[in-house]
Amino acid sequence: MGEEEGLHQTQLLDTMFVRGLKRKCFDGEEDIEGTLAGFKAIPSYNLQRQSLLDMSLVKLQLCHMLVEPNLCRSVLIANTVRQIQEEMTQDGTWQMINTQSAGQTSLDRLVSTDILCRSSKEQAEGKLVPVYSTFTKDCEGTQSQDNSEIMSTVTSPQAPRNLQSNMWEMENPQENRGNFQKSLDQIFETLENKSPNTVEDLFSEVDNSYYDLDTVLTGMMSNTKMGHCDVLETFPSQTTANSNSNCKSDLNELDHIVEILVES
Amino acid sequence: QTKTGVLKISHDIFLWSDIISTVEFNHTGELLATGDKGGRVVIFQREPESKNEPYNQGEYNVYSTFQSHEPEFDYLKSLEIEEKINKIKWLPQQNAAHSLLSTNDKTIKLWKVTERDKRPEGYNLKDEEGKLKDLSTVTSLQVPVLKPMDLMVEVTPRRIFANGHTYHVNSISVNSDCETYMSADDLRINLWHLAITDRSFNIVDIKPANMEDLTEVITASEFHPHHCNLFVYSSSKGSLRLCDMRASALCDKHSKLFEEPEDPSNRSFFSEIISSVSDVKFSHSGRYMLTRDYLTVKVWDLNMETKPIETYQVHDYLRSKLCSLYENDCIFDKFECAWNGSDSVIMTGAYNNFFRMFDRNTKRDVTLEASRESSKPRAILKPRRVCVGGKRRKDDISVDSLDFTKKILHTAWHPTENIIAIAATNNLYIFQDKVNSEMH
């Protein structure tokens, strides 16, 4: 039932979303097959939460080419982002992000988020011990050290608004991990230039067009006429009437996404 | 071999525009309308049962097809308005013609469906093709007579209700007074008179003064089947609001708020998303409401606001997969739900072309599949089972093998008989289901 094609799709998404995974170091384990079963050390709750946050932000940024975004979906994703931010603020881990060096890209953190699916009750039962990981490549070495740092740096949590802008600033990876990464960065950068203070700012321009990577993927696979895909294929001829649509200014980057999908 | 976060993609190739986006029986069940992503409406009519052909008991055949909506371009916003038909609602029949409302994201249209099976013949001045006769050939006067002709179904647009919505219309509902109807988008609900197209009355507005404060949207709405002043609307936070139009002009204050308190032990980052109500339907009796959220269907008693009186698990095995379903956006799928004619059985769709039925009296439930492989004409549907580890029976499907691209979002139940219409992507299945014998 489409096993080949399913595997093909799996490889695509693995490449795009789980690319950074193999570079991760968990207790020295490097034999990662790309499935949760392959991990001997389960990513920490914080890491998964961060991954969910990044995934949510990606979902909000990717724009539909022509059609207005689904407002219900956008609201639900934004609420999820807020929840994560609030929890991270209470944890003090929001502070942690600010103190870490740049060089981490959002894709690195897109690990499996299986743990997040468990209810808080299951977590409390000791299925995992939250670890305040430091989000650097040298997680092993500096962990014990940083634990004490965490305790001392937990002051009164900053208002979510400031933290949000700090997070935007942080997203300036120094490496390029392929064309998809580049386009993500551009989207984050353009948002930074607009200096959004909160995730709510995304709604102030809710009428702008959005791209939906999911729709793109689906469209590529089903090989059908789709408003979204058709437009992606005819990029150069699109005219943009709305000068505020920063998403549209990244049309070239989406060309690269299409190339990645088609080449594979 | 499936990996975490990635789910099977269907092997089928079909036209995007053929995907069915709504299904609705009319009030007698004689007609069944479907709308698709290409903006077309197809109406099926049930053949009258005849003794001569006992196997032809009430089959549905195509009655009429027409293009309801076309794609539009909003030049001001540089955005395309999809022609996809979001909802169809039939008006109660008041004369020989049938009428229905169809809507896309922005515009609602009233269509009149009429039959023509006779035509006049024997005009004095025109010939059979309609050309003017040479008057010198006319020697006597005749009275034109009506002669039978092949049945022709004509559909004409009678009203176009445009420019009423800034956001995407998700529901329409005809009032029991048969004069008004309402349309709901993400943030507002409007009341229209069926005869007046240039204005509507805004009855609910939940748009915050500052869009940055937006945290909740309207997901569905419906008029009460008997009380023309009552309607309900559901939200993305899982609440239902029953409003009384007699209480005030702007129904921002609800008469009743139906909300189940969250179970703190079950809380996760996805709790709110899975609590979002995707569909709400009054029972035929008007006493209950049926809601669908991502994992359950719930029956609410209008007299009890604190919690539903019944909760049924549709596919609880997905609870541990919410992250993957969030990643591939399946968690945002909007499933509909339906009552049977006597309000004793409820039905809703799921993934892998499965749909579920719950008998409220016996508390038994069944999972059935709508697919060409398993449904030959006049075959009896075999109950399906999803196994979640542990013992696995012969025809069980494991959770990891479910095809999440095959989703049954739209289902409808005949108003009085046990006939159901199931939209499986681009295919329509009509089952005459012997409900009682299928339950296990």
Side-chain angles (χ1 to χ4, degrees), chain A:
Chain A
M1 180 115 190
E3 281 288 354
E4 256 183 67
E5 214 169 310
L7 214 58
H8 174 68
Q9 182 72 358
T10 302
Q11 282 153 7
L12 275 176
L13 284 173
D14 269 347
T15 312
M16 299 173 84
F17 285 108
V18 195
R19 186 188 293 236
L21 201 56
K22 294 190 177 178
R23 297 178 181 85
K24 263 304 169 192
C25 158
F26 292 106
D27 299 335
E29 180 56 62
E30 290 181 59
D31 178 26
I32 293 169
E33 294 159 15
T35 65
L36 185 57
F39 292 125
K40 293 197 179 155
I42 298 172
S44 71
Y45 172 84
N46 282 12
L47 206 61
Q48 295 197 6
R49 182 177 60 184
Q50 183 64 43
S51 171
L52 182 65
L53 178 64
D54 297 331
M55 192 200 309
S56 304
L57 291 169
V58 167
K59 281 181 178 299
L60 286 174
Q61 304 331 326
L62 293 176
C63 307
H64 283 283
M65 190 57 209
L66 273 188
V67 183
E68 259 176 305
N70 183 330
L71 188 62
C72 182
R73 175 179 173 274
S74 303
V75 167
L76 289 172
I77 297 172
N79 289 352
T80 308
V81 169
R82 266 192 214 98
Q83 277 179 58
I84 298 172
Q85 284 179 339
E86 277 168 22
E87 194 181 279
M88 289 174 89
T89 306
Q90 285 162 19
D91 278 340
T93 48
W94 198 255
Q95 282 275 31
M96 290 304 306
I97 295 177
N98 299 336
T99 62
Q100 293 314 313
S101 55
Q104 288 303 310
T105 65
S106 55
L107 279 186
D108 266 356
R109 304 196 200 107
L110 284 174
V111 301
S112 161
T113 45
D114 171 66
I115 288 179
L116 293 171
C117 298
R118 301 182 198 164
S119 64
S120 51
K121 185 182 173 193
E122 283 174 333
Q123 289 175 26
E125 281 164 11
K127 294 207 173 169
L128 79 110
V129 177
V131 172
Y132 287 100
S133 69
T134 60
F135 297 111
T136 63
K137 287 177 184 171
D138 311 318
C139 54
E140 266 278 279
T142 56
Q143 208 160 45
S144 51
Q145 212 176 334
D146 288 322
N147 273 336
S148 53
E149 284 178 5
I150 291 167
M151 301 314 285
S152 57
T153 54
V154 172
T155 53
S156 58
Q158 295 178 10
R161 289 174 183 246
N162 293 336
L163 292 169
Q164 184 67 31
S165 60
N166 284 338
M167 219 199 92
W168 296 129
E169 282 155 28
M170 210 225 137
E171 301 293 347
N172 273 319
Q174 287 153 9
E175 310 168 39
N176 265 340
R177 300 262 171 101
N179 295 323
F180 179 66
Q181 177 57 41
K182 192 172 166 214
S183 66
L184 260 191
D185 298 338
Q186 289 216 329
I187 290 170
F188 279 89
E189 277 171 14
T190 56
L191 280 166
E192 185 196 342
N193 292 336
K194 280 160 57 180
S195 58
N197 288 323
T198 62
V199 70
E200 288 88 349
D201 280 356
L202 296 166
F203 286 130
S204 57
E205 298 191 21
V206 71
D207 289 331
N208 278 358
S209 19
Y210 288 85
Y211 305 136
D212 188 350
L213 185 62
D214 299 324
T215 311
V216 169
L217 288 174
T218 320
M220 285 292 137
M221 293 308 293
S222 64
N223 191 28
T224 63
K225 187 244 176 207
M226 259 178 74
H228 313 99
C229 274
D230 276 353
V231 169
L232 284 169
E233 285 159 13
T234 59
F235 262 14
S237 59
Q238 286 298 320
T239 54
T240 61
N242 188 348
S243 59
N244 279 339
S245 49
N246 290 304
C247 295
K248 279 189 175 151
S249 64
D250 297 324
L251 292 183
N252 288 336
E253 301 315 313
L254 277 182
D255 265 340
H256 291 300
I257 297 177
V258 173
E259 277 169 34
I260 293 172
L261 292 171
V262 172
E263 274 163 27
S264 315

Side-chain angles (χ1 to χ4, degrees), chain A residues 1-2 5-6 9 218 221-222, chain B residues 7-12 403 405:
Chain A
M1 180 115 190
E5 214 169 310
Q9 182 72 358
T218 320
M221 293 308 293
S222 64
Chain B
L7 304 147
K8 267 191 182 175
I9 308 295
S10 167
H11 218 107
D12 295 336
D403 189 339
T405 63

Side-chain angles (χ1 to χ4, degrees), chain B residues 175-177 223-230 283-287:
Chain B
N175 202 344
S176 51
D177 66 8
F223 267 119
H224 192 279
H226 311 309
H227 303 298
C228 58
N229 56 300
L230 289 180
S283 63
H284 292 90
S285 63
R287 180 157 168 212

Side-chain angles (χ1 to χ4, degrees), chain B residues 53-72:
Chain B
E53 296 173 51
Y55 285 118
N56 229 10
Q57 274 170 13
E59 271 190 6
Y60 284 83
N61 296 318
V62 177
Y63 179 65
S64 173
T65 303
F66 62 96
Q67 187 75 33
S68 170
H69 287 70
E70 299 274 4
E72 289 169 47

Side-chain angles (χ1 to χ4, degrees), chain B residues 127-282:
Chain B
D127 65 18
E128 295 310 314
E129 279 118 49
K131 286 191 294 188
L132 286 174
K133 284 183 189 174
D134 181 355
L135 285 180
S136 59
T137 63
V138 179
T139 52
S140 61
L141 283 178
Q142 55 182 352
V143 177
V145 291
L146 290 174
K147 293 253 173 88
M149 59 177 260
D150 288 340
L151 179 67
M152 201 163 72
V153 180
E154 295 173 333
V155 184
T156 48
R158 298 306 297 251
R159 305 267 190 276
I160 297 182
F161 304 90
N163 304 317
H165 291 278
T166 308
Y167 302 96
H168 292 175
V169 175
N170 53 54
S171 1
I172 48 175
S173 177
V174 183
N175 202 344
S176 51
D177 66 8
C178 300
E179 286 186 354
T180 57
Y181 76 94
M182 69 165 164
S183 56
D185 66 33
D186 296 311
L187 299 178
R188 298 192 178 101
I189 303 181
N190 293 335
L191 183 70
W192 304 80
H193 193 286
L194 282 164
I196 299 169
T197 59
D198 60 355
R199 64 199 112 106
S200 68
F201 198 66
N202 178 245
I203 52 178
V204 174
D205 189 339
I206 64 168
K207 182 178 177 188
N210 195 347
M211 277 297 273
E212 295 170 0
D213 298 332
L214 179 65
T215 58
E216 191 173 11
V217 301
I218 297 169
T219 51
S221 68
E222 198 183 46
F223 267 119
H224 192 279
H226 311 309
H227 303 298
C228 58
N229 56 300
L230 289 180
F231 66 92
V232 67
Y233 71 90
S234 60
S235 84
S236 56
K237 286 197 172 173
S239 64
L240 300 172
R241 286 174 173 80
L242 188 71
C243 300
D244 187 338
M245 294 197 292
R246 292 174 309 191
S248 68
L250 188 61
C251 298
D252 275 358
K253 284 191 190 153
H254 48 266
S255 294
K256 289 193 182 182
L257 172 64
F258 298 81
E259 209 167 24
E260 185 172 24
E262 193 177 23
D263 177 8
S265 64
N266 247 342
R267 177 147 182 70
S268 74
F269 285 121
F270 306 106
S271 297
E272 184 185 308
I273 298 177
I274 63 170
S275 75
S276 174
V277 174
S278 52
D279 193 18
V280 62
K281 294 264 168 54
F282 278 104

